[in-house]
Amino acid sequence: MAQDTPRERLTREVDEITARIATMTTDLHAIFDASVDSNADDEHDPEGQTIGYERAQLTALITAAQAQLTAVEQALTRLEEGSYGICTVCHRPIPAERLEVRPAATTCVEHASGSR
């Protein structure tokens, strides 16, 4: 089995993240829609805190996924510009193993951890 190219890995990541965002957004809208017809008072209803928590959790997950999507899209841009896989700190190549695990990585492991 052939190894995926960086473009294939990044494109697959974009597709997976986009699908995840769509699913979570649909779930969030379902929660909003369900609570519109409800006379629930989040502050005094025992179930209200659960609904509020679910909304906050989904919103945070969507925000994190959108940030991840932006990072992967930026990696695709770097790939097209020829700077993909180069550490933004030391300007040396990022090891293939790191890019396999974190395709949108902008730094080598040494600089990702903040040590020098």
Side-chain angles (χ1 to χ4, degrees), residues 36-88:
V36 166
D37 295 330
S38 171
N39 195 17
D41 176 0
D42 279 4
E43 187 176 333
H44 298 99
D45 181 8
E47 287 298 312
Q49 290 180 350
T50 301
I51 293 168
Y53 174 78
E54 288 176 6
R55 282 192 311 243
Q57 185 178 30
L58 270 174
T59 300
L61 289 171
I62 291 168
T63 299
Q66 289 169 332
Q68 185 182 14
L69 179 61
T70 298
V72 174
E73 289 171 338
Q74 289 171 346
L76 278 166
T77 299
R78 288 192 307 276
L79 185 66
E80 290 182 20
E81 293 172 348
S83 60
Y84 178 77
I86 305 297
C87 177
T88 57

Side-chain angles (χ1 to χ4, degrees), residues 11-46:
T11 301
R12 188 174 58 249
E13 286 266 336
V14 165
D15 293 343
E16 290 171 2
I17 296 167
T18 301
R20 198 167 62 238
I21 290 171
T23 299
M24 289 186 295
T25 301
T26 298
D27 292 347
L28 183 61
H29 287 291
I31 291 171
F32 286 142
D33 292 344
S35 65
V36 166
D37 295 330
S38 171
N39 195 17
D41 176 0
D42 279 4
E43 187 176 333
H44 298 99
D45 181 8

